[in-house]
Amino acid sequence: MAAESGKIDPMHQFEVTPLSGGFNLGGHDILFTNSALWMIVAAIALGLFMWGGMRRQLVPGRWQAAVEGFTGFISNMMMANIGTEGRKYTPYVFSLFMFILFCNLLGMLPLGVLGLHPFTVTSHIAITGVLALISFAIVLVVGFWRHGLHFFSLFVPHGTPLPMIPIIAPIEFVSFMVRPFSLGLRLFVAMTAGHVLLKVLSGFVINGFNAETLWLGSIVSVLSFILMIGISALELLVAGIQAYVFALLTSLYINDAVNLH
Amino acid sequence: MPQIAQLTADNWYLASQLFWLLVVFAGIYLVIGRGMLPKIEATVDARDRKVADDLAAAKAAHATADALEESYRQQSDASRLAAQKAVAEAKDKAAKDAEKRLAKVDAELGDKLAAAEADVAAARKSAMAEIESVAAEAAGDLVAKLSGVKIAAADAKAAVKAVIHG
């Protein structure tokens, strides 16, 4: 059993493999990898999805209504969290939300059945971290652009008693600086954990049927498979929720930068 | 763990990951976020505006209809009132006319009655006188036939008068 379970490596799905040669950029080799492939697949799928909603009819069809549901969801969120000025940032947050959502969902596709290896782009901290840093950079740029040095008043919440300021301000500062890490880490961890869990369970299914005592192994396999179905549904939910959380927190952080407290 | 491994300094795929992420995300931001999203939002806004405009127009039309109905109702009330007034006046006038005519006719009839009564009284008086003279004559004749006494006409007349008038 130990030798057999060793065949299925739940971390293998996160490996980045080069698909074709690349070029050199500033001393780094840029290769076209499976990660890049799945990003482009997500972008194309997203583009097709959006294109189907571009008919611009007065009475929308199903597809157009679906696309308008997504755009309305994000623009309402921006309006609720930031106000009318939020419209300026809707393109960024919408791109972020849809890109993360499509990467999450495409990584869930059961393409392994066809012998392909789906790759979840958002299960890489390098990706989610960069997206979080972009959001954080926007917050900093907008904050200092609009409020100048007054932006630092973000670290002193309204109504803080004067003697408390030396204590509160560092805490607020730390919590502010932690934001990009928590933002990127949350998505990366959720995606990684879900996919590892699914891979471990699918390893159980395969190893169970290959076990020497077949009846016992079969019970394990069937139970694991039932569990997998439930967890797959849960992971679809998590894929949506994590994309939403990322977009929501980004909008809240931008709100801090636009309106201070 | 490949995700953590790529954060080390000599990792070969970190640079390609970041490069392709920036390329793809910039593409999504420009084409979808900046290109497609505003058009879809414009469509939604146009629809919302159209719905709001149509609702406002419907509300205005409703208000106009209400006002029209109100003015129509007022007009019909006014004309009904006028008609009632005209009918009452006409009734009044007709009643007065009838009264006047009736009074006139009444007076005429009274006059006629009085004249007729006077005529009757005169006729009765003359008839009375006639009867007296005829009765006196007859009485004289009767007396003459029965007794052979010829009485004077004046006596007979006085006797008859006494009998007739009691």
Side-chain angles (χ1 to χ4, degrees), chain A residues 12-36:
Chain A
H12 177 73
Q13 59 178 328
F14 303 120
E15 296 283 358
V16 178
T17 51
L19 297 176
S20 72
F23 51 93
N24 197 293
L25 185 79
H28 296 284
D29 281 329
I30 306 297
L31 298 174
F32 190 76
T33 61
N34 56 346
S35 163

Side-chain angles (χ1 to χ4, degrees), chain B residues 31-156:
Chain B
V31 174
I32 289 166
R34 286 261 168 220
M36 291 168 144
L37 178 70
K39 285 182 187 148
I40 292 171
E41 280 192 319
T43 310
V44 175
D45 285 351
R47 180 183 311 127
D48 288 352
R49 213 171 21 248
K50 175 126 178 63
V51 168
D53 285 357
D54 286 0
L55 277 179
K59 217 173 186 178
H62 199 79
T64 316
D66 275 358
L68 269 176
E69 198 194 329
E70 178 65 25
S71 76
Y72 167 76
R73 209 169 55 76
Q74 276 175 357
Q75 253 174 24
S76 86
D77 275 4
S79 52
R80 186 181 301 125
L81 218 68
Q84 271 172 357
K85 204 170 155 193
V87 166
E89 264 171 17
K91 252 188 199 164
D92 221 36
K93 203 176 157 205
K96 260 181 198 157
D97 265 14
E99 214 169 277
K100 221 183 258 170
R101 269 215 305 270
L102 217 66
K104 205 172 155 196
V105 168
D106 222 31
E108 274 171 19
L109 283 176
D111 283 359
K112 266 187 192 164
L113 202 70
E117 262 173 7
D119 279 0
V120 167
R124 200 166 154 189
K125 215 173 189 174
S126 69
M128 249 357 189
E130 204 97 333
I131 284 170
E132 260 175 44
S133 64
V134 170
E137 232 168 85
D141 284 354
L142 275 174
V143 169
K145 260 182 195 167
L146 289 175
S147 62
V149 179
K150 208 153 164 101
I151 56 164
D155 289 345

Side-chain angles (χ1 to χ4, degrees), chain A residues 31 35 56 58 68 123-124, chain B residues 3 6 17 20 43 47:
Chain A
L31 298 174
S35 163
R56 316 195 65 179
L58 185 62
E68 281 172 4
S123 67
H124 274 241
Chain B
Q3 295 102 311
Q6 73 185 308
Q17 285 256 67
W20 285 109
T43 310
R47 180 183 311 127

Side-chain angles (χ1 to χ4, degrees), chain A residues 26-61:
Chain A
H28 296 284
D29 281 329
I30 306 297
L31 298 174
F32 190 76
T33 61
N34 56 346
S35 163
L37 172 70
W38 283 95
M39 284 183 218
I40 288 170
V41 168
I44 290 171
L46 175 56
L48 285 176
F49 175 69
M50 295 296 286
W51 179 74
M54 294 284 287
R55 261 165 249 156
R56 316 195 65 179
Q57 286 165 332
L58 185 62
V59 178

Side-chain angles (χ1 to χ4, degrees), chain A residues 130-223:
Chain A
V130 166
L131 292 177
L133 283 175
I134 293 173
S135 293
F136 192 66
I138 287 173
V139 168
L140 288 182
V141 169
V142 170
F144 282 113
W145 186 272
R146 287 177 62 96
H147 303 290
L149 292 180
H150 194 62
F151 183 55
F152 285 112
S153 71
L154 193 65
F155 304 130
V156 183
H158 267 302
T160 311
L162 202 62
M164 295 295 283
I165 288 177
I167 307 165
I168 296 283
I171 294 173
E172 287 284 325
F173 179 72
V174 169
S175 83
F176 181 77
M177 294 309 283
V178 160
R179 281 174 180 181
F181 299 101
S182 64
L183 195 58
L185 210 60
R186 183 180 298 112
L187 177 58
F188 148 67
V189 166
M191 286 300 116
T192 303
H195 282 269
V196 168
L197 185 56
L198 282 176
K199 277 295 181 307
V200 169
L201 284 172
S202 57
F204 286 169
V205 174
I206 294 164
N207 287 339
F209 283 129
N210 290 339
E212 282 165 39
T213 46
L214 190 60
W215 66 273
L216 189 61
S218 301
I219 291 172
V220 171
S221 291
V222 168
L223 288 178

